[in-house]
Amino acid sequence: GDFALFSSMTTMDEQQEAKRRKLEALEAKMGGAPPPQAVRPAKMPNLPAVAPTPASSAPTAADASEEQTRSPFVCDANDVVQFRLVRTEADMDAAEVFEPEFTHQVFRDDETVFGYRDLEIKIFMSANLFKTLVEISYAEKVKSVLNPADDIMAMLKTHLGDDIFTDRAEFIETLRKDAAAPVPGGGGVVVSTWKTTGADGAEYVDTARVFRLSDPEIYPWHARFEPMILFYIDGASAVDSEDTRWLLFAVIRTRADDDASWSLVSFATVYEFFVYPSSTRARLSQIVVLPPFQRAGLGSKMLGAVREYCVANGFADFTVEDPTPQLQRLRDAADVRAMTNAPEVMAAVQTCAMAAAALPRNVPGTGGTAGDEGKGVLEMPRAAAKFARDELKICAPQAARCWEALLYMTAKKAGAPDDSPAAAAFQELVIRRLKALHCSDARRDAGSKRVYNHAQGRDDREFVMCRGVAGGQAPDMEEDGDKADPAEVLADYFHDTMSNLAWLASAVKI
């Protein structure tokens, strides 16, 4: 914004300034401290490391003094919040403690809590129905009128709901009553089942189940554990539980010798999109594996369950909404594994790899210059792409990524040299895909696409976009006026792609 500086103050301003100084003096006497004014910085791209200058290599005396003044009553929310998933009274002290990764959507933007010294926020959640107990303790609280301590309970209730428990005895009694509670919604529809060994060495049975989120029994249950996304997905937002197209996938864990007692270990939300003329596309919105159960393959199992559901119900394909780098890698590995298990796809990979290996070094397009003969030798055949979509429910852009991974892994397994014509053809294949994906012109690519209102839609928010010959409305495409150098953009994306391919080659074996 614009700021104006005034060299003098009016009489009213002087009175206000005197009042402010008196209030500050009162604050000092009462032991309070002004709240921090730091703003959570925007996410920045990775930049090359730069050596700090001598002036910035160490905090100044003023900075150190300020830190010492404010630190006793400013706590890092990520450190003071503790979660526990509990089933019995004994679990209240014995259950594994895990901390959040993000707290800026619940507390302050800079992920701090103001007004407490030696603060602890303990959040206990029942492992099945996710009823919640919150216990807050601290050594000292600021006695400030002008800058009071943060209302922690109010902040938590905004997201966890007003029905959270604050009395431990009452919560423990609820645990006893809910110990034998059935899975809501009649248990949902079981998609897949597998056996697993827990961290305690016991044998368990996991079942992936799907529910309609608008079910009156499901959305109150979902509302109690949905806030976990705020602590583990940066920028997460709640879904509209009244929309009948939302699906909830949940992995339910029971002991092999006691199927009456169960726990929720992972969940995901999927939206059903209409695909012209009469099909459906599943789009994964959020997926969370609760921290005590992470690094045990549950993320891959969840993606597999969504795929199985899409296959069983004849969906067009399965996509992911704005995946994080971690989720994209998980998706890549799951889809590449699915394609390696398809003989039709692997036969096509071998055919293309052999054709590329037979290219002579003087063929245009395989030695650094562009040419049609070497250009399409590694393109994914239409039959393989159709199989990936129809049978594995892998959308076209994702299938192209996985196809490159299969070619890369095949070449590495065969020991193909990096300076061969096949390697040059592969590089051109990757660059063509990246150029189309990241260096396109929005208005040019809009082409003849037109937007039509959906005649059978439930409200005016529903529409169909397709290539039209008459009527309809041209889509309003926005473009970024400050475009980066296309060559630099491609170089960065190409480097990231090759790094991901190297990781996939180590994670998935063919």
Side-chain angles (χ1 to χ4, degrees):
D2 296 327
F3 295 89
L5 299 179
F6 296 91
S7 59
S8 62
M9 301 175 63
T10 64
T11 303
M12 182 66 71
D13 292 334
E14 292 173 351
Q15 293 174 354
Q16 292 294 332
E17 177 65 15
K19 183 177 180 181
R20 185 186 65 81
R21 287 197 296 267
K22 289 181 180 179
L23 286 173
E24 287 183 350
L26 178 61
E27 290 292 327
K29 292 181 180 179
M30 298 178 69
Q37 299 298 319
V39 177
R40 185 172 181 269
K43 186 180 292 184
M44 295 292 290
N46 294 328
L47 298 174
V50 179
T53 61
S56 61
S57 60
T60 64
D63 293 336
S65 176
E66 181 182 352
E67 180 66 20
Q68 292 172 0
T69 300
R70 72 174 186 140
S71 60
F73 292 101
V74 178
C75 305
D76 186 332
N78 292 330
D79 294 336
V80 301
V81 174
Q82 302 176 359
F83 288 102
R84 286 182 176 87
L85 298 178
V86 298
R87 294 177 55 249
T88 65
E89 181 177 359
D91 291 340
M92 300 292 288
D93 296 318
E96 177 183 344
V97 175
F98 55 98
E99 298 176 344
E101 294 183 14
F102 307 101
T103 52
H104 59 88
Q105 294 190 98
V106 178
F107 299 107
R108 290 174 175 252
D109 288 345
D110 60 351
E111 300 193 320
T112 61
V113 180
F114 168 71
Y116 305 87
R117 183 168 62 84
D118 298 336
L119 174 66
E120 284 188 351
I121 304 173
K122 296 180 180 179
I123 302 177
F124 302 86
M125 293 179 162
S126 57
N128 53 2
L129 299 181
F130 269 72
K131 295 180 180 179
T132 303
L133 165 71
V134 175
E135 293 182 340
I136 302 172
S137 62
Y138 47 85
E140 186 180 358
K141 182 177 179 179
V142 297
K143 303 172 183 178
S144 171
V145 176
L146 182 62
N147 296 311
D150 291 342
D151 189 341
I152 298 173
M153 192 62 70
M155 290 175 166
L156 290 173
K157 283 185 176 182
T158 300
H159 303 283
L160 300 179
D162 293 329
D163 57 348
I164 59 179
F165 292 83
T166 56
D167 182 88
R168 177 178 280 234
E170 185 180 356
F171 179 72
I172 291 174
E173 181 60 26
T174 300
L175 288 179
R176 294 193 184 100
K177 292 179 180 179
D178 294 340
V183 178
V189 177
V190 176
V191 179
S192 58
T193 303
W194 62 91
K195 294 182 179 179
T196 187
T197 302
D200 56 0
E203 296 298 318
Y204 292 90
V205 176
D206 288 350
T207 55
R209 310 179 185 213
V210 63
F211 308 83
R212 187 66 59 177
L213 197 54
S214 57
D215 186 321
E217 289 188 29
I218 297 303
Y219 69 76
W221 177 46
H222 173 254
R224 289 194 291 270
F225 59 76
E226 184 185 34
M228 296 299 288
I229 67 175
L230 303 176
F231 295 99
Y232 295 100
I233 301 177
D234 192 12
S237 59
V239 301
D240 180 7
S241 60
E242 295 182 359
D243 192 327
T244 58
R245 291 197 178 105
W246 278 108
L247 298 175
L248 170 66
F249 285 77
V251 175
I252 303 298
R253 174 166 295 182
T254 59
R255 289 184 67 96
D257 56 356
D258 179 16
D259 59 1
S261 179
W262 59 276
S263 302
L264 173 70
V265 298
S266 176
F267 63 90
T269 50
V270 173
Y271 194 79
E272 297 176 315
F273 276 94
F274 170 75
V275 176
Y276 186 83
S278 60
S279 189
T280 304
R281 166 175 292 124
R283 177 170 295 176
L284 178 69
S285 175
Q286 301 158 342
I287 178 172
V288 172
V289 178
L290 297 173
F293 311 104
Q294 291 177 359
R295 303 190 180 280
L298 280 172
S300 296
K301 291 288 189 182
M302 180 65 83
L303 292 178
V306 176
R307 189 196 311 279
E308 287 185 43
Y309 182 82
C310 293
V311 171
N313 289 273
F315 282 22
D317 54 23
F318 164 36
T319 64
V320 179
E321 178 185 355
D322 192 20
T324 63
Q326 296 85 350
L327 178 55
Q328 184 60 55
R329 280 195 167 189
L330 184 68
R331 179 192 185 193
D332 288 345
D335 288 344
V336 168
R337 287 191 183 98
M339 292 176 71
T340 58
N341 293 327
E344 298 87 344
V345 175
M346 294 309 296
V349 171
Q350 292 294 335
T351 300
C352 290
M354 292 174 63
L359 288 172
R361 290 189 175 273
N362 61 350
V363 171
T366 61
T369 59
D372 293 335
E373 187 174 352
K375 181 178 180 180
V377 70
L378 292 179
E379 289 285 355
M380 188 177 189
R382 291 185 179 181
K386 186 176 185 301
F387 182 90
R389 183 176 186 185
D390 294 347
E391 303 300 326
L392 304 178
K393 305 306 174 185
I394 302 175
C395 62
Q398 177 67 7
R401 288 174 58 95
C402 296
W403 176 257
E404 292 169 1
L406 293 174
L407 291 173
Y408 179 88
M409 293 159 63
T410 300
K412 288 299 180 183
K413 185 177 181 179
D418 294 338
D419 59 350
S420 65
F426 178 76
Q427 179 175 325
E428 287 201 10
L429 175 72
V430 174
I431 290 177
R432 282 199 305 274
R433 178 180 66 83
L434 295 176
K435 186 181 293 184
L437 184 63
H438 299 290
C439 299
S440 59
D441 184 289
R443 296 191 179 277
R444 181 198 66 206
D445 292 347
S448 60
K449 291 180 181 178
R450 293 295 182 269
V451 177
Y452 301 85
N453 290 331
H454 190 358
Q456 298 179 347
R458 295 169 304 148
D459 53 45
D460 57 5
R461 294 176 299 175
E462 298 190 8
F463 61 89
V464 175
M465 178 183 287
C466 60
R467 296 191 182 278
V469 293
Q473 177 182 349
D476 184 13
M477 310 297 289
E478 295 185 0
E479 293 187 87
D480 186 0
D482 185 17
K483 293 184 178 180
D485 182 357
E488 293 182 4
V489 172
L490 276 178
D492 290 341
Y493 281 118
F494 182 79
H495 178 269
D496 292 342
T497 298
M498 297 307 295
S499 296
N500 187 58
L501 290 175
W503 175 84
L504 275 172
S506 65
V508 182
K509 303 299 181 183
I510 59 174

